[in-house]
Amino acid sequence: MEKEVRERIIALLKREVVPAIGCTEPMAVALCTSKAKEILGEMPVGIEVRLSPNILKNAMGVGVPGTGMVGLPIAVALGAIVGKSEYGLEVLKDIMPEAVAEGRSMIESGAINIGLKQGVHEKLYIEVICTAADGRKATARIAHTHTNFVGDEWQDSSVESEQIDEDALSLRLVYDFATTAPIEEIEFINEAARMNEKAAQAALKGNYGHDLGKTLSRPLGIGIMGNSIFSHILSATSAACDARMAGAMIPVMSNSGSGNQGIAATMPVVVFARENHNTDEELTRALILSHLTAIYVKESLGRLSALCGCVVAATGSSCGITYLMGGKYEHVSYSVKNMIANLAGMVCDGAKPSCALKVSSGVSTAVLSAMLAIQNRYVTSVEGLIDDDVDKSIHNLTKIGHDGMDETDRIVLDIMTSK
């Protein structure tokens, strides 16, 4: 593979696989608030936040790290009080208890107003207007991706804005890059393994969310699931998700703007490689294959959608596990087809503690799909969404997630906001 192509893919990976603290949607809103406050140059007396429906959906029920609180108001308040836009998705890493107390007071004062942005078709859109005591206003906007600030000239370009056109990715290109790139060029991905495994280990020592990870690692879980690679994969992956959705102050490595996707693309591969006694190089290449596959699928699905992101990330980890089993490109393509046939249509109903259950479902299917694929068993083109061409199968999935489930997205948000 030409060096120029490798360099573009590496740049893409480094842009999409980045550290994050807390759920990326409220963190992105906090980030936008911090930028508006910085533009204003002083602490605002009023903050107006207008969001696309998908941002609102994904930020309503998730814990904000270091606060013990759930939802957007505290994220907005802390974005103004301690947020620094230079930190990106780690915008609130300087949080202290006194800042949380100040944030509570700001919320109680009625200074924060949050609502939907009318007329916007972009699925990821954040607009924050900060008002000073003398009436001056400052506005910041984020669109397309969680850290992409846009100016006054921004126009909603809907589908096109969500595309990543670098390198015209295909599964074949993803596989070839992962398996042939010089190892020293791709070892940076091992930081995802270190960071997300550390998050999983920390989660297993505490009590977070539904404690799915700990439940699967306790005697009851071992008795039912077996003391196996499979149960260990589920426990480690769901534990990291438990902590993240509960608002633990634990950084994770995200993928395509989602910490849960970063966890699901990393931990199954790490646990399998360790217990299958794969080499360090094999693990590195499997992680690249997993993360880059997830990025590729997201390319046509869009940053946010009604399709649960665990489907995307678990498809990546299934590819990585298949490779660690000794699979070649054909087997990896089989695992993708098996994943699409099984998980297409899993609905995203916002970020929340129960995401750990969906992640667990996704990665359990990843293992199943890899097991079938390595034995040359896969869903064929006479069945449902699957095409003989694996890339067409991927685009069949993303077409449903991006276009076909738009009404589902609207109904889900209506249900969530009407309770």
Side-chain angles (χ1 to χ4, degrees):
M1 184 178 296
E2 294 180 2
K3 183 178 180 180
E4 183 181 351
V5 175
R6 296 201 313 270
E7 288 176 346
R8 291 203 301 271
I9 294 175
I10 289 169
L12 174 62
L13 277 161
K14 289 184 175 180
R15 185 168 65 250
E16 297 292 350
V17 182
V18 297
I21 295 177
C23 178
T24 45
E25 276 70 55
M27 291 306 103
V29 176
L31 176 62
C32 195
T33 304
S34 71
K35 174 64 78 172
K37 184 259 183 117
E38 289 165 5
I39 294 171
L40 188 67
E42 62 181 81
M43 182 61 64
V45 296
I47 305 175
E48 182 179 345
V49 181
R50 294 294 176 260
L51 308 169
S52 59
N54 286 78
I55 289 288
L56 185 62
K57 179 183 73 173
N58 277 2
M60 289 174 60
V62 69
V64 176
T67 69
M69 299 174 68
V70 170
L72 279 168
I74 189 63
V76 172
L78 291 173
I81 295 166
V82 298
K84 291 183 175 65
S85 63
E86 63 194 73
Y87 290 166
L89 292 178
E90 295 181 286
V91 58
L92 299 184
K93 68 180 182 179
D94 290 341
I95 189 173
M96 298 292 286
E98 53 269 26
V100 177
E102 187 178 345
R104 289 177 184 271
S105 297
M106 180 182 286
I107 294 168
E108 292 168 1
S109 73
I112 299 171
N113 180 280
I114 300 170
L116 288 172
K117 176 69 175 180
Q118 300 300 320
V120 66
H121 299 288
E122 175 71 41
K123 293 189 177 183
L124 196 165
Y125 180 81
I126 303 165
E127 181 177 288
V128 178
I129 303 171
C130 287
T131 302
D134 62 5
R136 289 182 299 108
K137 296 180 182 293
T139 302
R141 300 181 182 88
I142 287 176
H144 317 331
T145 66
H146 292 79
T147 59
N148 183 54
F149 288 100
V150 296
D152 292 336
E153 72 283 358
W154 177 81
Q155 296 293 320
D156 180 10
S157 52
S158 191
V159 175
E160 290 76 14
S161 69
E162 299 180 357
Q163 304 302 304
I164 302 171
D165 56 13
E166 292 92 340
D167 308 311
L169 289 176
S170 66
L171 189 65
R172 179 87 239 189
L173 180 60
V174 167
Y175 176 85
D176 287 347
F177 173 81
T179 56
T180 66
I183 192 66
E184 65 273 10
E185 293 183 5
I186 59 175
E187 286 179 324
F188 65 87
I189 200 65
N190 293 324
E191 182 60 24
R194 287 189 288 269
M195 183 175 289
N196 289 350
E197 188 165 29
K198 186 176 180 180
Q201 292 169 348
L204 289 171
K205 295 176 182 176
N207 294 290
Y208 300 104
H210 297 289
D211 269 341
L212 179 60
K214 290 181 71 173
T215 299
L216 291 169
S217 67
R218 287 169 177 159
L220 175 63
I222 291 173
I224 294 173
M225 304 290 292
N227 187 11
S228 64
I229 294 178
F230 181 63
S231 65
H232 299 163
I233 285 173
L234 296 187
S235 176
T237 308
S238 57
C241 184
D242 279 329
R244 181 173 176 272
M245 291 291 93
M249 203 68 173
I250 301 172
V252 301
M253 193 68 80
S254 66
N255 180 298
S256 303
S258 168
N260 284 349
Q261 287 170 201
I263 292 166
T266 303
M267 290 310 301
V269 177
V270 171
V271 174
F272 186 90
R274 183 196 308 113
E275 301 199 20
N276 194 50
H277 305 294
N278 290 99
T279 66
D280 290 343
E281 178 173 339
E282 287 171 336
L283 172 57
T284 298
R285 295 192 182 282
L287 285 170
I288 288 287
L289 178 58
S290 178
H291 277 275
L292 192 54
T293 298
I295 291 168
Y296 167 43
V297 178
K298 273 287 187 177
E299 180 183 58
S300 56
L301 178 62
R303 191 65 47 153
L304 298 175
S305 76
L307 182 70
C308 179
C310 82
V311 176
V312 176
T315 297
S317 63
S318 186
C319 293
I321 291 171
T322 302
Y323 169 79
L324 292 171
M325 288 179 171
K328 305 304 181 185
Y329 172 74
E330 290 74 16
H331 302 103
V332 169
S333 70
Y334 298 161
S335 71
V336 171
K337 291 179 180 181
N338 292 339
M339 289 294 293
I340 293 171
N342 197 333
L343 290 182
M346 182 183 284
V347 173
C348 170
D349 55 340
K352 61 216 173 300
S354 62
C355 285
L357 279 73
K358 292 188 177 184
V359 165
S360 181
S361 295
V363 298
S364 64
T365 304
V367 176
L368 171 64
S369 296
M371 289 172 59
L372 289 171
I374 203 69
Q375 299 177 68
N376 297 310
R377 297 185 180 277
Y378 61 96
V379 179
T380 68
S381 61
V382 299
E383 304 173 71
L385 302 177
I386 304 306
D387 193 284
D388 287 329
D389 184 327
V390 66
D391 294 296
K392 288 184 179 178
S393 299
I394 289 171
H395 288 103
N396 289 343
L397 169 71
T398 59
K399 184 175 183 180
I400 287 176
H402 189 283
D403 300 327
M405 297 176 73
D406 271 351
E407 181 64 9
T408 299
D409 220 8
R410 187 193 65 77
I411 292 172
V412 167
L413 181 62
D414 182 62
I415 291 171
M416 291 174 63
T417 56
S418 299
K419 290 189 293 182

